[in-house]
C-alpha cells in the first residue's frame, strides 16, 4: 500500500510517496520564472537555423525556446505563428524545448492534436475491453489515448473526460487564433492536480498534507470518488511534514553517491558530462566457494535498488550500470527482467538494453523535469564551479526545520548557528534574506562561520552563560533592517 505526503512551502511544493514505508518517489515543484513542462503557448518564429534543423521561437519570455523542425513544418518561416507545448524546461543559457504536437492529459485519457484515432495503452491486455473501447468511444475527431487507469473506469466517466478535454482543446485553438502576441494558452501549473491525476489509486491508503487549501482540494476529489478508500489527514505540527516522517533525512542522503545493499554490497552513482554511471560492488558479500552465486545475488538486489534510486533521484538520459561479472545467460536474463519489472510503472519512458560483452547494461530514460540534484546542490563558488555543494536555499530550509523542531519544545528565542565558511560571502551579501528564510527575524540569532566537516549546526541557547559565550556572534538589529 502507498502513502502520499504533500508539503507546501512559500516557494515550492514537495510530494513524496512511500510504499510499505519505503520511499519510492519524490517530486519537487518550484516557483519558476520560465515556462514549465506541459504548458501550452502561442509562439512566433523569430529565427530558423537550417544547420541545426531548428527554429527559435518567442513565447513571451526573455529567453526564446527552440523547436526541432519536422516534415510537417519544413516550410516554416520567420513570423509564422504556432501553438506549442513545452516538453523540456530551459537549463542555464539554453531555452526550453517545445513541440507543435501538444496534448491534454486527463486521469483516464490523453487528447492530442493529431488525426482522428483511438490508441489504447499497451499495458491494457484485455482484447475484449480494447474492442469495447473502439466500438463505444467518441473521439470527437481528434487523437485520443486511453491510459492504463482507463481499464478500471466506467465508459461514461471516460467519455465525460474526453468531452471536457475537447472543450478545453477548442478553447486553446480559439485563443491561439485570435491572440495578437505570444502568450500562455494553457498551463498545468496545479501540481496538486497532477498528483490527483497520476498518483492517487486503489493502492493509496493515506494522504498526509500540511496545507488547508491542498487538503480541501484533495478532500473534494476523494468525496467525488467514493470507490477510493483513502484516508486524508491534515498535518498540523510544530515541525515540517517531511522532517516529522523522516523524508527530509532521506532526501539529504541523495548527496551520497554510495548506497549500501542489505546483502553487504553497494552501488556507486557517479555523474559524468554525458551520462550517469552506476557501479555494483560485492563489498562484504563475498563467498569464494560460489562466486557465481554471490554475483547473481548481489546483482539481483542491486538491480532493484538501481531502479529505485533512478526514479527517486529522477535521473534521465543515458544510465550505464556496471554489474558484477556473470557468465550464465539465464542469470543475465534474470537481471534484465528484474530491471524491466521495476521500471514497469515508471511515468518516464524508460528502456533497458541487454548486457554487453563487458557485462554493462545501458538504460535510457526520458528526462522529465530536473533531477533531485538540481534542487539540493549548486556549483561551489570556492572551487570556481568545478565541485558541488549543498544548495544555500536548501541549507536555509534545513536550518528552519531545526529551529521549528526546537521551538516546539518551548519558547526558545536564542539560537547559535554554525555554517561552513564556504557560504560566508554569499550569506553576508544579504543577511536579511538569511534571517527571513530561516524564520529568524523575531529571534536572536548568533551566527558563526567555521571550517567544519558538515554544512551547518543549530543549537538552542537556554541558559544565560550559553548566550554570554557567543554574544559576539549576535546578528544585530541594524543588520536585520
Amino acid at each position: 500500500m502507498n502513502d502520499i505526503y504533500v508539503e507546501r512551502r512559500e516557494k515550492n511544493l514537495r510530494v513524496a510517496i512511500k510504499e510499505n514505508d519505503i520511499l519510492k518517489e519524490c517530486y519537487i515543484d518550484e516557483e519558476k520564472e520560465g515556462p514549465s513542462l506541459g504548458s501550452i503557448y502561442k509562439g512566433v518564429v523569430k529565427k530558423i537555423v537550417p544547420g541545426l534543423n531548428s527554429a527559435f521561437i518567442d513565447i513571451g519570455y526573455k529567453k526564446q525556446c527552440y523547436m526541432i523542425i519536422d516534415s510537417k513544418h519544413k516550410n516554416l518561416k520567420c513570423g509564422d505563428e504556432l501553438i506549442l507545448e513545452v516538453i523540456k524546461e530551459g537549463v542555464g543559457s539554453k531555452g526550453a524545448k517545445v513541440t507543435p504536437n501538444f496534448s491534454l492529459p486527463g486521469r483516464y485519457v490523453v487528447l492530442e492534436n493529431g488525426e482522428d484515432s483511438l490508441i489504447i495503452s499497451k499495458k491494457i491486455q484485455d482484447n475484449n475491453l480494447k474492442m469495447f473501447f473502439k466500438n463505444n468511444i467518441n473521439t470527437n475527431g481528434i487523437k485520443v489515448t486511453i491510459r492504463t487507469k482507463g481499464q478500471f473506469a466506467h465508459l461514461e466517466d471516460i467519455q465525460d473526460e474526453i468531452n471536457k478535454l475537447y472543450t478545453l482543446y477548442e478553447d486553446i485553438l480559439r485563443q491561439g487564433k485570435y491572440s495578437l502576441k505570444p502568450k500562455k494558452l494553457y498551463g498545468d501549473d496545479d501540481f496538486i492536480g497532477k498528483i490527483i491525476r497520476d498518483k492517487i489509486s486503489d493502492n493509496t491508503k493515506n494522504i498526509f498534507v500540511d496545507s488547508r487549501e491542498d487538503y480541501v482540494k484533495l478532500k473534494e476529489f476523494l468525496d467525488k470518488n467514493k470507490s477510493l478508500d483513502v484516508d486524508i489527514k491534515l498535518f498540523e505540527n510544530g515541525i515540517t511534514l517531511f522532517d516529522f516522517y523522516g523524508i527530509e533525512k532521506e532526501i539529504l542522503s541523495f548527496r551520497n553517491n554510495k548506497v549500501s545493499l542489505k546483502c553487504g554490497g553497494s552501488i556507486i552513482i557517479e555523474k559524468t558530462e554525458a551520462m550517469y554511471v552506476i557501479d555494483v560492488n560485492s563489498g562484504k558479500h563475498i563467498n569464494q566457494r560460489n562466486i557465481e552465486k554471490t554475483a547473481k545475488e548481489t546483482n539481483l538486489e542491486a538491480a532493484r535498488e538501481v531502479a529505485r534510486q533512478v526514479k527517486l533521484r529522477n535521473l534521465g538520459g543515458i544510465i550505464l550500470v556496471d554489474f558484477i561479472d556473470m557468465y550464465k545467460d539465464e542469470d543475465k536474463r534474470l537481471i534484465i527482467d528484474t530491471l524491466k519489472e521495476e521500471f514497469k510503472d515508471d511515468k518516464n519512458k524508460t528502456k533497458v538494453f541487454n548486457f554487453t560483452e563487458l557485462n554493462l547494461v545501458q538504460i535510457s530514460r526520458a528526462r522529465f523535469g530536473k533531477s533531485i540534484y538540481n534542487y539540493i546542490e549548486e556549483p561551489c563558488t570556492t572551487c570556481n564551479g568545478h565541485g558541488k555543494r549543498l544548495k544555500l536555499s536548501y541549507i536555509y530550509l534545513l536550518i528552519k526545520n531545526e529551529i521549528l523542531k526546537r521551538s516546539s519544545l518551548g519558547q526558545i528565542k536564542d539560537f547559535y548557528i554554525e555554517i561552513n565558511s564556504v557560504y560566508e560571502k554569499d550569506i553576508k551579501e544579504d543577511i536579511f534574506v538569511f534571517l527571513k528564510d530561516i524564520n529568524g527575524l523575531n529571534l536572536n540569532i548568533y551566527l558563526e562561520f567555521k571550517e567544519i566537516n558538515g554544512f551547518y549546526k543549530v543549537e538552542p541557547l537556554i541558559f544565560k552563560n550559553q548566550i554570554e559565550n557567543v554574544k559576539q556572534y549576535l546578528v544585530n538589529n541594524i543588520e536585520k533592517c
Side-chain angles (χ1 to χ4, degrees), residues 328-359:
K328 295 180 181 178
D329 289 340
E330 59 265 32
D331 290 347
K332 292 181 179 180
R333 280 197 299 271
L334 176 63
I335 300 303
I336 297 298
D337 290 343
T338 299
L339 282 169
K340 288 180 178 178
E341 179 65 24
E342 293 296 319
F343 281 115
K344 185 173 66 175
D345 297 326
D346 188 14
K347 296 297 179 184
N348 293 26
K349 188 178 180 181
T350 304
K351 187 172 182 180
V352 178
F353 296 86
N354 290 325
F355 275 88
T356 68
E357 293 180 0
L358 297 176
N359 268 316

Side-chain angles (χ1 to χ4, degrees), residues 25-179:
E25 300 176 67
C26 187
Y27 303 94
I28 302 174
D29 186 53
E30 285 187 321
E31 282 185 2
K32 306 178 186 74
E33 293 183 1
S36 55
L37 284 169
S39 296
I40 297 173
Y41 292 82
K42 174 177 180 173
V44 177
V45 178
K46 292 296 182 181
K47 184 179 180 182
I48 293 176
V49 183
L52 298 176
N53 196 35
S54 298
F56 289 85
I57 301 167
D58 176 13
I59 60 172
Y61 291 90
K62 184 182 295 184
K63 195 183 297 181
Q64 292 179 359
C65 58
Y66 71 98
M67 178 188 98
I68 304 300
I69 300 173
D70 59 22
S71 57
K72 292 181 182 180
H73 297 85
K74 59 184 178 182
N75 296 321
L76 200 66
K77 59 184 182 298
C78 290
D80 283 353
E81 299 178 346
L82 296 167
I83 296 177
L84 305 156
E85 179 181 345
V86 177
I87 57 174
K88 187 183 291 186
E89 292 177 340
V91 178
S93 59
K94 194 174 184 180
K97 184 178 181 180
V98 295
T99 176
N101 304 312
F102 65 89
S103 61
L104 297 170
R107 184 169 173 80
Y108 306 120
V109 302
V110 177
L111 261 64
E112 299 176 65
N113 64 328
E115 295 181 358
D116 184 7
S117 58
L118 180 66
I119 298 170
I120 299 171
S121 168
K122 292 180 181 179
K123 294 178 182 178
I124 298 178
Q125 302 293 326
D126 189 334
N127 290 325
N128 290 330
L129 183 59
K130 291 180 183 180
M131 186 61 64
F132 177 75
F133 283 151
K134 289 183 181 294
N135 291 335
N136 291 278
I137 285 179
N138 175 18
T139 63
N140 290 316
I142 195 172
K143 184 178 179 181
V144 174
T145 300
I146 305 292
R147 303 180 72 178
T148 307
K149 286 183 180 179
Q151 64 186 313
F152 307 113
H154 295 295
L155 177 65
E156 52 268 31
D157 293 332
I158 295 174
Q159 189 64 60
D160 183 56
E161 186 173 80
I162 291 173
N163 294 340
K164 287 178 180 177
L165 289 174
Y166 185 72
T167 300
L168 179 58
Y169 169 77
E170 288 186 309
D171 182 60
I172 289 171
L173 293 183
R174 193 179 304 111
Q175 287 188 68
K177 182 177 180 179
Y178 294 109
S179 297

Side-chain angles (χ1 to χ4, degrees), residues 244-294:
F244 184 83
Y245 287 102
I247 299 168
E248 200 71 74
K249 186 177 180 180
E250 288 202 61
I251 291 175
L252 195 55
S253 73
F254 294 157
R255 291 202 77 240
N256 298 328
N257 64 347
K258 181 177 180 180
V259 180
S260 299
L261 304 175
K262 290 181 180 178
C263 67
S266 63
I267 62 173
I268 311 293
I269 304 170
E270 300 284 356
K271 187 181 187 307
T272 70
E273 282 291 325
M275 68 183 76
Y276 290 96
V277 178
I278 302 178
D279 188 34
V280 180
N281 298 314
S282 59
K284 297 178 182 178
H285 190 213
I286 299 173
N287 185 345
Q288 294 295 337
R289 294 182 180 179
N290 197 335
I291 295 176
E292 186 72 15
K293 182 181 178 183
T294 299

Side-chain angles (χ1 to χ4, degrees), residues 220-465:
E220 287 176 352
F221 168 76
L222 293 172
D223 288 342
K224 291 177 183 177
N225 293 267
K226 300 293 186 182
S227 61
L228 293 171
D229 184 20
V230 180
D231 188 13
I232 182 168
K233 301 173 184 178
L234 180 61
F235 178 83
E236 295 178 304
N237 203 307
I239 64 177
T240 64
L241 179 68
F242 272 32
D243 200 30
F244 184 83
Y245 287 102
I247 299 168
E248 200 71 74
K249 186 177 180 180
E250 288 202 61
I251 291 175
L252 195 55
S253 73
F254 294 157
R255 291 202 77 240
N256 298 328
N257 64 347
K258 181 177 180 180
V259 180
S260 299
L261 304 175
K262 290 181 180 178
C263 67
S266 63
I267 62 173
I268 311 293
I269 304 170
E270 300 284 356
K271 187 181 187 307
T272 70
E273 282 291 325
M275 68 183 76
Y276 290 96
V277 178
I278 302 178
D279 188 34
V280 180
N281 298 314
S282 59
K284 297 178 182 178
H285 190 213
I286 299 173
N287 185 345
Q288 294 295 337
R289 294 182 180 179
N290 197 335
I291 295 176
E292 186 72 15
K293 182 181 178 183
T294 299
K296 176 184 172 182
E297 290 175 349
T298 305
N299 285 341
L300 188 58
E301 187 180 340
R304 297 191 184 101
E305 189 60 35
V306 163
R308 175 174 175 263
Q309 292 295 328
V310 165
K311 289 185 285 187
L312 266 176
R313 300 174 188 229
N314 196 21
L315 307 184
I318 298 172
I319 302 158
L320 201 62
V321 187
D322 185 5
F323 285 100
I324 300 169
D325 287 351
M326 296 187 301
Y327 303 99
K328 295 180 181 178
D329 289 340
E330 59 265 32
D331 290 347
K332 292 181 179 180
R333 280 197 299 271
L334 176 63
I335 300 303
I336 297 298
D337 290 343
T338 299
L339 282 169
K340 288 180 178 178
E341 179 65 24
E342 293 296 319
F343 281 115
K344 185 173 66 175
D345 297 326
D346 188 14
K347 296 297 179 184
N348 293 26
K349 188 178 180 181
T350 304
K351 187 172 182 180
V352 178
F353 296 86
N354 290 325
F355 275 88
T356 68
E357 293 180 0
L358 297 176
N359 268 316
L360 302 174
V361 172
Q362 179 182 314
I363 301 169
S364 65
R365 187 170 188 259
R367 288 187 175 91
F368 190 83
K370 299 175 182 177
S371 77
I372 199 75
Y373 301 116
N374 293 105
Y375 296 107
I376 66 174
E377 290 185 338
E378 63 188 3
C380 177
T381 54
T382 305
C383 58
N384 296 319
H386 294 296
K388 295 287 184 180
R389 69 181 192 184
L390 199 62
K391 211 169 189 177
L392 191 54
S393 59
Y394 190 61
I395 288 180
Y396 289 174
L397 173 66
L398 296 174
I399 291 174
K400 180 180 177 180
N401 287 350
E402 291 292 322
I403 290 175
L404 280 171
K405 191 187 302 182
R406 284 161 172 76
S407 295
S408 66
L409 302 175
Q411 295 298 317
I412 301 173
K413 290 290 184 180
D414 298 87
F415 288 90
Y416 169 71
I417 300 174
E418 281 183 6
I419 296 184
N420 195 300
S421 56
V422 298
Y423 298 99
E424 183 172 2
K425 180 175 179 292
D426 299 296
I427 291 175
K428 284 186 172 179
E429 281 180 353
D430 202 334
I431 198 74
F432 177 81
V433 169
F434 165 73
L435 291 168
K436 176 177 172 290
D437 286 358
I438 67 167
N439 271 8
L441 289 172
N442 297 316
L443 300 173
N444 295 319
I445 301 297
Y446 301 82
L447 177 62
E448 183 179 6
F449 297 96
K450 298 180 74 173
E451 298 288 341
I452 54 178
N453 290 329
F455 294 98
Y456 72 95
K457 185 174 78 173
V458 178
E459 181 182 344
L461 304 176
I462 302 171
F463 304 107
K464 287 185 178 180
N465 65 316

